[in-house]
Amino acid sequence: QVQLVESGGDSVQIGGSLRLSCAASGSTSTIRSMAWFRQVPGSKREGVAGILRDGITSYGDSVKGRFTVSQDSANNIVYLHMTDLKPEDTATYMCAADRAGLLVSSSPSLFTYWGQGTQVTVYS
């Protein structure tokens, strides 16, 4: 089993920046991919960014050039650096992980492990 805990969500002005963290614990050596998804009530879960164990990254089209995903492998933490935030980035951001090497374009249903989520609100 793998446990994921997100942190760093906050309210931020348009154009601001934020860094989210996802700390993994448990059987982390089995994990090959981690990703960030976001969701607003009534909408489908959207893939934001993903990173494989070997460092290969993938991004959703709406965040390319603004968000960066990185990992601290020694401490089993994945970060999501968000810049130039827009109101449409407002959502609950969730961390996901899987034993397969999945890109963020993969269906959320393929990811086995999920965190509880952290709220990001962008205001004017």
Side-chain angles (χ1 to χ4, degrees):
Q1 287 293 324
V2 174
Q3 295 77 42
L4 304 174
V5 178
E6 304 96 332
S7 61
D10 204 347
S11 296
V12 62
Q13 280 191 315
I14 292 175
S17 300
L18 207 57
R19 188 183 77 169
L20 305 182
S21 301
C22 173
S25 61
S27 302
T28 56
S29 62
T30 66
I31 297 302
R32 291 182 58 200
S33 57
M34 294 186 71
W36 287 95
F37 289 82
R38 65 187 182 188
Q39 190 170 25
V40 296
S43 297
K44 292 182 178 180
R45 211 162 275 191
E46 177 190 6
V48 176
I51 188 164
L52 302 182
R53 179 174 287 276
D54 59 7
I56 294 175
T57 58
S58 57
Y59 296 92
D61 289 340
S62 62
V63 306
K64 284 180 180 176
R66 299 190 297 123
F67 291 10
T68 303
V69 61
S70 62
Q71 61 186 354
D72 176 355
S73 299
N75 294 298
N76 298 310
I77 300 174
V78 170
Y79 300 102
L80 183 66
H81 305 259
M82 305 185 293
T83 64
D84 189 24
L85 283 162
K86 304 175 180 181
E88 51 264 42
D89 294 319
T90 294
T92 298
Y93 284 71
M94 294 161 285
C95 180
D98 198 82
R99 293 183 292 270
L102 303 174
L103 299 178
V104 75
S105 56
S106 302
S107 170
S109 64
L110 295 177
F111 286 84
T112 302
Y113 306 105
W114 289 86
Q116 292 299 309
T118 186
Q119 179 67 32
V120 172
T121 302
V122 184
Y123 62 92
S124 58

